[in-house]
């Protein structure tokens, strides 16, 4: 009898271990390992960060789940596996998701029907920081609730395919240095409010009016893109709702066209930090300045500003000068706001 009791005790101990544990409606841990299913209130979350191969990921989702509606999928490995490089059609079985975070992997290819069961549930797709060079942009219009798409810091290249998904409000393509923008890239995303295109090496390839269809655009990031010379006419010109924030930091701009940026909100901000701007001639900058009303709205810090007679129209008008960031310095180190008015009266007719 004592031997039988010992055996029963051993079974109890073993089944108390994680491999036997299960919390309804999640399946047994052993059936989906190394994925972890978490039942949070009425939400199901699947964390597959420790999966090391495409085959095992597919096997996990062949498991019989009590419910197929999952709140979130997470794949964010500490040590990415070379055996997980493709997401194949149907890999997630009959399960659907509302949110997906697949980051820090060596995944290169996403096939067309990977998320076929999430067409009417998915609202946020984050696949930033992978090795993706093939993504099914042509299927995006099937995701009827998709609001946020992050494909930043992947290996996408060539002329950007038109993104067709009318509900999208946030898009991040930063870090895809092989991508170039086309005239029609955003015609199918008219409700975009936030667009991030940083660190893409766009240079002077961006066509004019590319942002024109984005009538609801509020925030635009174009930092560290090697945009040089004079910012072209109609570079940023939304038709309807005005922009609140534009970031052009870390480029090689030396001047702007008087009509390069139109459609700014009166209380908006625009940043040109760390460029090569030398002169603030009235004929070039008054069009932009006239759109803005708040102090510090234009950030020109870390530019080699000469601060000569090109500034007389600002120095003699405190309200206009206040629109420029208070810590903007001339190339010699003086703060622009501290320049002596009398000197400009005497030397600048």
């Amino acid at each position: 009898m004592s031997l039988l009791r010992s055996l029963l005790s051993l079974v109890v101990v073993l089944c108390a271990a994680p491999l036997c544990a299960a919390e309804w409606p999640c399946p047994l841990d052993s059936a989906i390992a190394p994925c972890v299913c978490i039942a949070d209130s009425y939400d199901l979350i699947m964390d597959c960060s420790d999966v090391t191969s495409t085959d095992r990921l597919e096997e996990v989702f062949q498991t019989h789940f009590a419910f197929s509606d999952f709140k979130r999928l997470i794949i964010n490995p500490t040590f990415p596996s070379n055996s997980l490089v493709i997401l194949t059609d149907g890999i997630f079985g009959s399960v659907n998701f509302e949110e997906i975070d697949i980051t820090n992997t060596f995944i290169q290819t996403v096939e067309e029907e990977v998320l076929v069961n999430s067409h009417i549930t998915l609202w946020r797709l984050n696949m930033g920081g992978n090795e993706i060079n093939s993504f099914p942009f042509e299927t995006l219009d099937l995701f009827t609730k998709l609001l946020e798409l992050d494909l930043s810091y992947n290996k996408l290249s060539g002329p950007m395919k038109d993104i067709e998904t009318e509900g999208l409000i946030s898009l991040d393509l930063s870090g895809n240095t092989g991508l170039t923008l086309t005239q029609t890239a955003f015609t199918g995303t008219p409700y975009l409010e936030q667009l991030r295109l940083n660190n893409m090496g766009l240079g002077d390839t961006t066509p004019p009016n590319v942002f024109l269809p984005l009538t609801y655009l509020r925030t635009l990031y174009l930092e560290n893109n090697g945009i040089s010379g004079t910012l072209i006419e109609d570079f940023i010109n939304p038709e309807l709702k005005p922009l609140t924030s534009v970031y052009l930091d870390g480029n090689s701009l030396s001047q702007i066209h008087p009509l390069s940026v139109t459609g700014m909100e009166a209380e908006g901000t625009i940043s040109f930090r760390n460029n090569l701007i030398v002169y603030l001639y009235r004929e070039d900058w008054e069009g932009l300045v006239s759109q803005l009303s708040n102090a510090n709205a234009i950030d020109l810090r870390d530019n080699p500003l000469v601060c000569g007679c090109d500034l007389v129209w600002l120095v003699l008008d405190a309200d206009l000068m206040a629109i420029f960031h208070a810590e903007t310095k001339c190339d010699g180190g003086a703060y622009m706001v501290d320049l002596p008015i009398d000197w400009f009266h005497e030397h600048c007719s």
Side-chain angles (χ1 to χ4, degrees):
M1 181 65 68
S2 59
L3 177 60
L4 178 60
R5 286 178 179 173
S6 298
L7 290 173
L8 288 173
S9 298
L10 179 60
V11 170
V12 170
V13 170
L14 288 174
C15 285
L19 287 180
C20 290
E23 181 179 349
W24 183 90
C26 288
L28 288 173
D29 290 354
S30 57
I32 61 172
C35 293
V36 177
C37 175
I38 304 165
D40 181 14
S41 184
Y42 290 101
D43 295 328
L44 290 173
I45 299 171
M46 182 73 89
D47 190 334
C48 292
S49 296
D50 292 333
V51 170
T52 57
S53 72
T54 298
D55 289 342
R56 182 51 189 158
L57 188 61
E58 185 171 12
E59 289 170 0
V60 165
F61 285 96
Q62 298 305 312
T63 304
H64 294 291
F65 294 94
F67 299 96
S68 60
D69 300 324
F70 274 70
K71 175 71 174 177
R72 187 180 177 199
L73 169 68
I74 303 168
I75 302 178
N76 182 26
T78 303
F79 302 103
S81 169
N82 287 319
S83 296
L84 182 59
V85 296
I86 183 172
L87 295 180
T88 55
D89 290 339
I91 194 170
F92 297 117
S94 60
V95 170
N96 63 72
F97 305 100
E98 295 180 30
E99 302 176 55
I100 292 176
D101 292 282
I102 300 177
T103 57
N104 192 38
T105 77
F106 291 136
I107 292 172
Q108 300 174 18
T109 302
V110 181
E111 295 188 345
E112 286 190 15
E113 297 188 3
V114 168
L115 299 173
V116 64
N117 292 313
S118 298
H119 283 167
I120 62 173
T121 59
L122 190 67
W123 71 268
R124 186 175 65 84
L125 177 58
N126 172 17
M127 300 190 76
N130 299 292
E131 301 286 326
I132 297 171
N133 56 47
S134 178
F135 183 85
F137 286 99
E138 62 275 11
T139 67
L140 288 176
D141 65 328
L142 300 175
F143 293 88
T144 57
K145 293 184 179 179
L146 189 63
L147 299 177
E148 300 179 14
L149 176 61
D150 187 342
L151 293 171
S152 61
Y153 298 95
N154 279 286
K155 304 294 183 181
L156 298 170
S157 62
M160 199 175 89
K161 295 180 180 179
D162 294 353
I163 298 179
E164 302 282 345
T165 171
E166 289 196 354
L168 200 67
I169 61 173
S170 177
L171 174 63
D172 193 344
L173 295 170
S174 299
N176 288 283
T177 56
L179 271 184
T180 55
L181 300 183
T182 64
Q183 191 72 58
T184 58
F186 305 116
T187 56
T189 57
Y191 296 106
L192 267 184
E193 296 179 10
Q194 184 178 93
L195 179 57
R196 293 178 181 268
L197 303 171
N198 297 325
N199 301 290
M200 292 178 65
L202 294 174
D204 302 321
T205 65
T206 304
N209 298 314
V210 67
F211 305 114
L212 185 63
L214 302 180
T215 54
Y216 291 88
L217 190 62
R218 306 293 280 160
T219 308
L220 176 61
Y221 294 85
L222 286 161
E223 298 175 300
N224 305 311
N225 270 303
I227 303 171
S228 62
T230 299
L231 196 63
I232 62 173
E233 182 179 0
D234 291 328
F235 187 77
I236 301 172
N237 54 351
E239 282 187 306
L240 296 179
K241 202 168 186 177
L243 284 159
T244 57
S245 304
V246 176
Y247 298 90
L248 284 156
D249 303 345
N251 286 290
S252 300
L253 290 168
S254 57
Q255 195 51 270
I256 66 172
H257 186 279
L259 298 176
S260 59
V261 181
T262 59
M264 290 293 298
E265 184 179 77
E267 297 181 353
T269 60
I270 183 166
S271 183
F272 294 93
R273 289 195 70 173
N274 193 25
N275 275 276
L276 301 175
I277 296 168
V278 176
Y279 300 108
L280 300 180
Y281 295 120
R282 184 171 192 163
E283 58 267 29
D284 296 318
W285 288 85
E286 188 174 32
L288 176 58
V289 172
S290 65
Q291 299 173 57
L292 303 165
S293 59
N294 279 5
N296 302 320
I298 301 177
D299 194 342
L300 280 166
R301 287 176 289 175
D302 307 311
N303 279 274
L305 298 170
V306 168
C307 297
C309 288
D310 59 296
L311 287 187
V312 65
W313 65 289
L314 295 174
V315 174
L316 301 183
D317 190 323
D319 291 335
L320 295 183
M321 179 64 85
I323 291 173
F324 290 83
H325 198 285
E327 295 183 4
T328 302
K329 289 184 179 181
C330 305
D331 200 33
Y335 285 102
M336 204 165 74
V337 295
D338 293 336
L339 294 174
I341 296 176
D342 290 344
W343 195 95
F344 282 82
H345 273 300
E346 182 176 347
H347 293 279
C348 303
S349 59

